[in-house]
Amino acid sequence: MPPPPEDDGSSARRPLIPPTPLPPPGRAVARLHSLPLLVAAAFAASYHLLVAPSPSYYHSLFLSLGSNDTAAAHLRALTLRPHLAGTEANARAAEHVVSALSSLSFPTRVVPYSVLLTYPVHRSLSLSAPGHATTPFALVQDTYPGDPYAAVSAEAVPTFLAYAASGSVAAEAVYANYGRPEDFAYLAARGVNVTGKVVLARYGKVYRGDIVINARKAGAAAAVIYTDAKDYAAGEAFPDGPWMPPTGVQVGSTFKGVGDPTTPMWASSEGCERVSVAEAMATDDMPGIPALPVSGRDGEAILQLIGGDVAPKDWQGGHGSPVYRLGPGPAVLNLTYIGNETVATIQNVISVIEGKEEPERYIILGNHRDAWTFGAVDPNSGTAALLELAQRFSELQKKGWRPRRTIILCNWDAEEYGLVGSTEWVEENRAMLTSRTVAYLNVDSAVYGAGFYASATPQLDKLLKEASKQVQNPDNETQSLYDLWMASDSSSTIGRLGGGGSDYSAFVQHIGIPSIDISMGSEYAVYHSLYDDFVWMEKFGDPLFRRHVAVASMWGLVALRLSDEEILPFNYSTYAVELENGAIDINKRLVGVPVSSSPLQKSIAEFKRAALQVDSELKTRKVWNTWRNNPLKVRDLNERLMMTERAFTDREGLSGRPWYKHLIYAPSLHDDYGAQVYPGVDDAIQMAERTNTSESWRSVQHEIYRIARVINQASLVLSGGLT
């Protein structure tokens, strides 16, 4: 539980003086004009102490306080050096966050965890083929003339894939496109044998950990992943343009699990139980084979020496690329990777703004701090936005604002390794968070570029849209963020939080907390490379830092509405529609098989009735103000709105993936980045389609019953009823 803030004696923390009756507005104005000027000025200055401004007043004030200079200054400070999790540089970045939040008089603490991280000790890769000299690859990302960070670039971690197995492999190369299951199935159908070979795959489409694991399952001895120019270098390269330079490399984790690998399903607190490092590295969530990332230039050099059949058209590169062939060979790759798996200390930073009326209810805002290199986009544009909005919250406090509910600001560590910091904190505080958290609001990379993007659990859709109408489009002063959003290609839907791409995962998928994730832009070419620095952001991502301010405004406004409004601004009618849409997709996949979706359909119909009932309650209250003197009625409704999401979780979790407790949203089985609706049913259908046995189809039916049961539970919670 977050500690209560200490009373510093400031007026911002003292209770407001109870309001006294005032005369009608017209008479008040007439009397004011008859007072001496000094008395009138004193009355105006003290008015906010006599009558507390409405929450909407403070919300509007919050929007007016945005500062691009503040956001830019924080981003510059946070990106002076590469700051990988577990390093001294990242500890210094944590100190900056602690200092910034503490200076605002917010009680702030550091929560450390000891977790398994991995760093490269030795890497080498060379290419050979009959009639060609052996080519050793430098595996270095070049700096550029005038690079202001050239001197500290040597501090960046050498290019590697975290948690890859140590070992040496010399074998023929096979090209596997994006390394998806369907890509390996195509190779098998063409008679291309992957067993014992080194797979070359390009980044994109799926999570890199899935690429390596798919290669291992296909029998490969090692994997190499490169950044294809078609996807990452489609224009001028940085620093002249925003695209990946020829030597740019995307580093990253290949762990498919969540949290500290040595404490699966429980927190890595002091003195806790742990599995051995060897046991942790031997699980199916680990890649299990040596692997390395390489640049587009190196990947193209390998492709030029791979022979065999010509790859399909959609496997080919962009204009000017060589013809891509499948192999195997005659190109031979000699790869060595030696990693150091070590238990290191990471640091979450937690800051608390205590609520006045409902301090035991939490609105949690989170962003991670650790970066593979400088991290200007990922993640410190989000950290800068967090600190900028914290500055605004401090200004609101000086004006007399106190949130109704407690706001907690969280800066996570080791997200890049596998959502480690946030997961350990959620696992350690599971019971408190499950009983007290209203919502979790995540921003990872606040600014990639232009456009607004949002994902959410569906009961927050309406709130997101309403808030976006109050925030200015940072690229057009005549428009709102909503106008920008609705004009984009992504306006038809709000994304869902089933993927494993950021720190919302533990909140949504493990304990069932309503959540959102927002950003300006959605992709950028220098992702996880040496070139994700302040210069890239200043030149291409957000030259005026207005986009940072817009994200902070949206993030903070949603937090303020959730913290300050008497009735939580949730709407479950949208959730019912999402459940129906997911059922439609399942029905299409079940045509002609011995499985009935009737239990699911019935449970969704019941949930729709519960959502309509709550809508009716809210409308009645709004029209007749029937709960004005009945705080227990308000409390009851808010409890139901808050706890309904929890009911979609099941203590046993997904079959074969027990950490994922949410049965409506989880990552796709074959792409950790991809969000899957009804993931348990999807997993079972995929298995049944491969095996086509009566037992496998019974498993599909079982999974349908499971999701029907949690939807029925959610209906009971939302309606407040017992059977």
Side-chain angles (χ1 to χ4, degrees):
M1 173 183 177
E6 298 177 2
D7 187 354
D8 64 1
S10 69
S11 61
R13 298 193 183 279
R14 289 199 300 266
L16 294 173
I17 299 172
T20 55
L22 294 176
R27 291 172 58 190
V29 171
R31 187 176 301 171
L32 181 61
H33 283 301
S34 67
L35 292 173
L37 183 60
L38 183 62
V39 176
F43 179 85
S46 63
Y47 184 78
H48 75 280
L49 294 176
L50 297 172
V51 179
S54 67
S56 61
Y57 164 79
Y58 289 117
H59 300 177
S60 296
L61 180 59
F62 170 82
L63 294 176
S64 73
L65 294 172
S67 169
N68 49 359
D69 288 339
T70 299
H74 283 303
L75 185 65
R76 186 183 292 276
L78 288 161
T79 58
L80 290 174
R81 299 167 62 190
H83 49 286
L84 183 61
T87 65
E88 177 268 340
N90 199 39
R92 287 194 181 182
E95 290 174 2
H96 177 87
V97 175
V98 170
S99 176
L101 293 171
S102 298
S103 71
L104 303 174
S105 299
F106 297 153
T108 302
R109 66 183 185 275
V110 172
V111 181
Y113 293 101
S114 296
V115 300
L116 181 66
L117 303 181
T118 173
Y119 305 96
V121 175
H122 174 75
R123 312 153 304 129
S124 66
L125 182 68
S126 63
L127 170 68
S128 61
H132 295 268
T134 298
T135 302
F137 294 112
L139 305 180
V140 172
Q141 301 184 82
D142 295 337
T143 58
Y144 56 90
D147 182 356
Y149 299 104
V152 293
S153 291
E155 298 178 20
V157 63
T159 55
F160 82 121
L161 295 174
Y163 301 109
S166 296
S168 295
V169 175
E172 292 178 317
V174 173
Y175 173 54
N177 196 23
Y178 292 105
R180 299 166 296 184
E182 57 265 38
D183 295 326
F184 285 103
Y186 177 83
L187 289 173
R190 291 288 299 268
V192 177
N193 186 7
V194 177
T195 302
K197 304 299 191 294
V198 178
V199 161
L200 176 70
R202 53 184 173 179
Y203 271 113
K205 309 300 183 184
V206 297
Y207 171 57
R208 73 185 71 79
D210 286 296
I211 297 173
V212 181
I213 289 173
N214 291 338
R216 181 197 75 202
K217 290 180 177 178
V224 173
I225 312 178
Y226 77 102
T227 50
D228 196 299
K230 180 180 179 180
D231 301 306
Y232 293 91
E236 283 286 328
F238 183 72
D240 299 316
W243 295 91
M244 184 77 92
T247 63
V249 177
Q250 181 190 136
V251 301
S253 181
T254 54
F255 177 45
K256 268 183 67 74
V258 182
D260 174 24
T262 68
T263 59
M265 303 289 288
W266 65 90
S268 55
S269 53
E270 185 177 357
C272 70
E273 175 188 10
R274 292 183 186 275
V275 303
S276 70
V277 172
E279 288 175 301
M281 291 296 293
T283 68
D284 284 341
D285 286 332
M286 291 294 181
I289 58 176
L292 283 174
V294 299
S295 67
R297 185 175 67 184
D298 292 348
E300 185 170 298
I302 298 169
L303 283 161
Q304 286 177 334
L305 295 186
I306 292 179
D309 294 340
V310 174
K313 183 178 180 180
D314 59 345
W315 287 39
Q316 295 296 325
H319 178 71
S321 297
V323 174
Y324 294 0
R325 296 178 179 272
L326 302 177
V332 171
L333 287 172
N334 191 327
L335 181 154
T336 296
Y337 173 73
I338 305 297
N340 175 26
E341 292 79 38
T342 183
V343 174
T345 299
I346 63 170
Q347 298 175 309
N348 293 336
V349 180
I350 311 294
S351 194
V352 180
I353 309 171
E354 188 184 29
K356 183 180 179 183
E357 288 88 358
E358 300 180 60
E360 76 289 357
R361 291 288 172 259
Y362 306 152
I363 315 300
I364 303 177
L365 285 69
N367 154 267
H368 78 95
R369 177 186 68 258
D370 63 297
W372 291 112
T373 60
F374 295 99
V377 175
D378 183 10
N380 297 128
S381 60
T383 316
L386 182 71
L387 297 179
E388 197 269 326
L389 72 82
Q391 175 70 43
R392 294 196 235 175
F393 284 164
S394 178
E395 293 299 317
L396 293 189
Q397 282 193 331
K398 294 174 184 177
K399 301 294 184 181
W401 168 77
R402 284 282 300 279
R404 179 185 183 92
R405 304 177 184 94
T406 295
I407 295 175
I408 305 176
L409 308 178
C410 302
N411 187 228
W412 311 117
D413 202 350
E415 186 270 357
E416 295 292 4
Y417 276 87
L419 318 180
V420 179
S422 58
T423 297
E424 298 311 308
W425 192 75
V426 168
E427 290 176 342
E428 184 168 38
N429 297 283
R430 181 187 293 111
M432 290 291 285
L433 294 172
T434 300
S435 64
R436 295 189 170 196
T437 306
V438 172
Y440 173 68
L441 315 179
N442 190 68
V443 169
D444 189 320
S445 305
V447 179
Y448 301 87
F452 178 71
Y453 294 82
S455 297
T457 48
Q459 73 276 70
L460 292 170
D461 287 5
K462 183 177 179 182
L463 173 59
L464 278 172
K465 291 178 180 179
E466 290 174 348
S468 69
K469 293 177 181 178
Q470 295 180 255
V471 177
Q472 182 178 296
N473 175 357
D475 300 318
N476 186 337
E477 295 181 358
T478 67
Q479 290 185 333
S480 68
L481 205 57
Y482 179 82
D483 296 327
L484 172 66
W485 190 8
M486 293 301 107
S488 69
D489 294 337
S490 64
S491 63
S492 58
T493 59
I494 295 176
R496 297 302 169 212
L497 297 176
S502 194
D503 290 301
Y504 54 75
S505 182
F507 290 91
V508 178
Q509 298 154 12
H510 191 58
I511 61 175
I513 303 293
S515 300
I516 70 165
D517 182 71
I518 60 174
S519 67
M520 293 295 298
S522 62
E523 296 177 348
Y524 69 120
V526 298
Y527 175 65
H528 283 192
S529 75
L530 189 68
Y531 312 105
D532 182 6
D533 63 14
F534 189 85
V535 175
W536 190 95
M537 177 62 73
E538 196 172 37
K539 291 183 72 172
F540 305 111
D542 192 9
L544 299 177
F545 282 85
R546 291 175 179 170
R547 293 168 181 166
H548 283 74
V549 172
V551 172
S553 295
M554 184 70 181
W555 198 6
L557 181 59
V558 171
L560 287 170
R561 289 197 56 186
L562 288 166
S563 66
D564 290 343
E565 293 188 12
E566 183 182 37
I567 303 295
L568 294 175
F570 287 0
N571 185 304
Y572 278 94
S573 296
T574 305
Y575 221 127
V577 173
E578 288 292 300
L579 295 175
E580 284 185 318
N581 290 339
I584 291 171
D585 291 338
I586 286 178
N587 284 333
K588 292 177 181 177
R589 300 172 68 182
L590 295 180
V591 174
V593 299
V595 176
S596 171
S597 64
S598 177
L600 177 58
Q601 302 291 351
K602 290 179 180 178
S603 67
I604 294 173
E606 191 61 36
F607 187 83
K608 286 180 67 176
R609 283 191 286 271
L612 288 172
Q613 174 191 320
V614 169
D615 287 347
S616 178
E617 288 182 59
L618 290 171
K619 289 176 183 176
T620 300
R621 174 191 176 273
K622 187 173 182 180
V623 173
W624 300 104
N625 199 17
T626 53
W627 303 344
R628 181 171 53 186
N629 297 314
N630 194 343
L632 291 179
K633 185 76 172 177
V634 173
R635 180 78 172 190
D636 171 70
L637 178 58
N638 281 338
E639 290 283 335
R640 289 149 51 197
L641 292 170
M642 183 179 83
M643 298 301 292
T644 296
E645 190 74 41
R646 314 289 196 274
F648 291 123
T649 63
D650 181 275
R651 64 178 178 271
E652 295 179 1
L654 297 179
S655 299
R657 297 192 282 167
W659 187 87
Y660 295 99
K661 307 294 186 185
H662 206 291
L663 299 194
I664 311 301
Y665 296 114
S668 168
L669 188 61
H670 298 294
D671 177 15
D672 198 61
Y673 286 155
Q676 183 63 52
V677 181
Y678 301 141
V681 176
D682 179 68
D683 292 353
I685 290 176
Q686 289 190 52
M687 176 62 73
E689 288 173 341
R690 288 196 300 270
T691 62
N692 198 28
T693 64
S694 58
E695 182 181 357
S696 65
W697 288 112
R698 280 197 300 272
S699 294
V700 175
Q701 187 68 73
H702 172 64
E703 292 298 334
I704 287 176
Y705 274 115
R706 289 187 72 199
I707 59 174
R709 286 193 288 270
V710 297
I711 293 172
N712 284 332
Q713 290 293 319
S715 300
L716 290 172
V717 172
L718 188 57
S719 62
L722 291 170
T723 57

